[in-house]
Amino acid sequence: MSELNQACQKMNQLLKESSEYWTYIFARDQIRSHAELYSAVQNFKKQYSDIEQYTEGNPYDALRRLYDENDELLHNEVVNEYLRAETDFTQLIQNTLDRITSGLSL
């Protein structure tokens, strides 16, 4: 197991050295310096998550309303950069996990 732990630590370090990670860290720090924007984005993400999790059937209409209500927020340059960077880094992690677990069955 020690070899596996070492490989995980190495993978963690490689993720931290990636351009996606550093772009995310920069964007996160930028938005955090705008307290109102950061709070609004966190609220948007919470509402989005709640709709995805708790809406029965197709959540399209509820999500459409949420996007319409937050149009100005989502078109803010700082917010847009943050959400893009977060998505890119999350996608990198997901792709990495998919490759690591490829071929495994439970």
Side-chain angles (χ1 to χ4, degrees):
M1 195 59 137
S2 174
E3 188 176 327
L4 185 57
N5 285 336
Q6 289 175 354
C8 289
Q9 288 175 345
K10 177 65 176 171
M11 183 60 65
N12 181 281
Q13 186 61 38
L14 290 171
L15 287 167
K16 287 179 181 176
E17 293 170 1
S18 71
S19 63
E20 290 89 348
Y21 178 74
W22 285 105
T23 300
Y24 166 70
I25 293 299
F26 178 78
R28 184 199 64 193
D29 291 348
Q30 286 294 105
I31 198 163
R32 283 183 176 172
S33 71
H34 299 86
E36 285 184 31
L37 277 180
Y38 184 68
S39 178
V41 167
Q42 295 303 86
N43 185 47
F44 170 81
K45 288 168 64 176
K46 170 79 170 97
Q47 289 179 40
Y48 185 96
S49 177
D50 286 350
I51 290 169
E52 286 278 309
Q53 188 172 5
Y54 300 116
T55 300
E56 291 185 24
N58 188 343
Y60 176 81
D61 291 335
L63 289 173
R64 184 78 251 151
R65 274 191 305 280
L66 180 64
Y67 274 92
D68 289 345
E69 292 167 2
N70 290 278
D71 187 62
E72 186 176 335
L73 173 70
L74 296 172
H75 283 90
N76 178 287
E77 186 176 334
V78 174
V79 170
N80 199 282
E81 288 299 316
Y82 168 71
L83 292 174
R84 241 186 253 167
E86 182 182 55
T87 298
D88 290 348
F89 184 56
T90 302
Q91 189 66 49
L92 174 64
I93 291 171
Q94 185 61 54
N95 289 340
T96 301
L97 289 173
D98 288 347
R99 286 191 294 276
I100 290 170
T101 60
S102 175
L104 297 177
S105 61
L106 299 175

